[in-house]
Amino acid sequence: MMGTDLKKMFDVSRDDSPILKVRRKRIAFFRELTAPLPKPLKIIDVGGTELFWEKMGFADDPDYEITILNLSRADSHHSNIRLVVGDAREMGEFGDGAFDVAFSNSVIEHVGGLAEQRRMAREVMRVGRKYFVQTPNRGFPLEPHFLFPFFQFFPLALKVFLIQRFSLGWYPKIPERREALAAANSVRLLRREEIVDLFPEGTVLDEKLFGMTSSFLVYGGW
């Protein structure tokens, strides 16, 4: 399969993207879980974007009050969405159980090593009375960020070599070694047993793509 075809497969802006179908199924399940809860529902999206909630049909829905926490500042364009700057690993600005649901989609793999991922998991479980977290499966053959088969298992030096010389997935070629090293270290995919360890009271579901587990969904508090 050519690189452009892989990008089409993983591009959630395309209505025919297989990965978008997986995401829509995930959000349908999220709606099912939240439907019986009292409204308006206070949600914190840890590391998300306003575009995500637009595409999933939650924008301007008064039943959902959504706070999006991310590293950079942005302006909200919807009445029910508030954007704040913060760190997923330390959300001290929010009290325990400040939100009905803590939500996170494909973020925990980007916050650093296992210790940092554990900090984020603890914060998610602390600020949300319930939580709903998704992350790609390390064991899926195609690495979903660089779109290169088994890239997640390569030695760091080989990753950097490839990043410096080729455009991979969502990353353009990065000739400067320090920047290439940062890109290589920017993703740490998780195994199922690590998800269970990070969220010991959660329920873990496998999300399937082409019959294989492409990502994990863990939720708790329901």
Side-chain angles (χ1 to χ4, degrees):
M1 184 180 291
M2 299 300 292
T4 53
D5 294 329
L6 287 173
K7 291 190 75 170
K8 288 178 182 178
M9 185 176 77
F10 278 82
D11 186 357
V12 295
S13 67
R14 297 175 57 91
D15 289 337
D16 61 345
S17 165
I19 203 71
L20 181 58
K21 294 177 182 178
V22 174
R23 178 175 287 187
R24 284 177 172 159
K25 184 177 180 180
R26 180 187 314 147
I27 295 304
F29 180 55
F30 180 71
R31 281 191 180 274
E32 179 183 327
L33 283 176
T34 59
L37 301 179
K39 305 297 189 300
L41 194 69
K42 293 179 63 177
I43 299 172
I44 182 167
D45 179 2
V46 183
T49 66
E50 192 174 50
L51 181 62
F52 172 87
W53 295 99
E54 290 174 359
K55 285 189 169 295
M56 296 302 119
F58 287 80
D60 296 316
D61 185 338
D63 283 345
Y64 296 88
E65 297 177 357
I66 302 166
T67 297
I68 299 176
L69 179 138
N70 220 316
L71 293 172
S72 57
R73 185 171 299 281
D75 295 324
S76 174
H77 302 89
H78 300 282
S79 59
N80 67 327
I81 296 178
R82 178 170 69 109
L83 290 91
V84 299
V85 175
D87 188 333
R89 300 163 297 184
E90 179 53 61
M91 294 186 279
E93 64 268 40
F94 303 116
D96 296 357
F99 298 90
D100 297 310
V101 181
F103 179 101
S104 188
N105 190 82
S106 293
V107 173
I108 196 168
E109 70 271 19
H110 292 289
V111 299
L114 184 58
E116 287 76 20
Q117 291 171 327
R118 190 177 304 281
R119 288 174 59 197
M120 175 179 165
R122 286 173 178 166
E123 284 293 86
V124 163
M125 291 185 286
R126 181 184 68 80
V127 302
R129 291 187 284 276
K130 299 173 175 57
Y131 60 87
F132 188 96
V133 176
Q134 180 272 346
T135 189
N137 173 23
R138 176 175 169 81
F140 188 66
L142 185 66
E143 204 288 335
H145 306 89
F146 298 94
L147 299 184
F148 199 100
F150 305 107
F151 187 84
Q152 63 270 38
F153 301 114
F154 291 174
L156 181 60
L158 179 55
K159 292 180 181 179
V160 172
F161 175 87
L162 292 170
I163 291 169
Q164 285 184 282
R165 288 160 178 81
F166 304 98
S167 294
L168 301 175
W170 310 110
Y171 291 80
K173 183 171 67 173
I174 307 175
E176 208 282 319
R177 189 182 186 283
R178 184 174 60 179
E179 294 180 8
L181 181 62
N185 284 322
S186 68
V187 180
R188 183 188 183 276
L189 299 181
L190 289 157
R191 302 187 300 271
R192 168 181 267 275
E193 56 266 33
E194 292 175 321
I195 295 291
V196 172
D197 179 56
L198 293 177
F199 299 93
E201 297 181 4
T203 299
V204 183
L205 298 181
D206 293 353
E207 294 188 323
K208 299 288 186 177
L209 187 64
F210 306 126
M212 296 177 286
T213 300
S214 60
S215 56
F216 300 115
L217 173 61
V218 57
Y219 63 100
W222 272 273

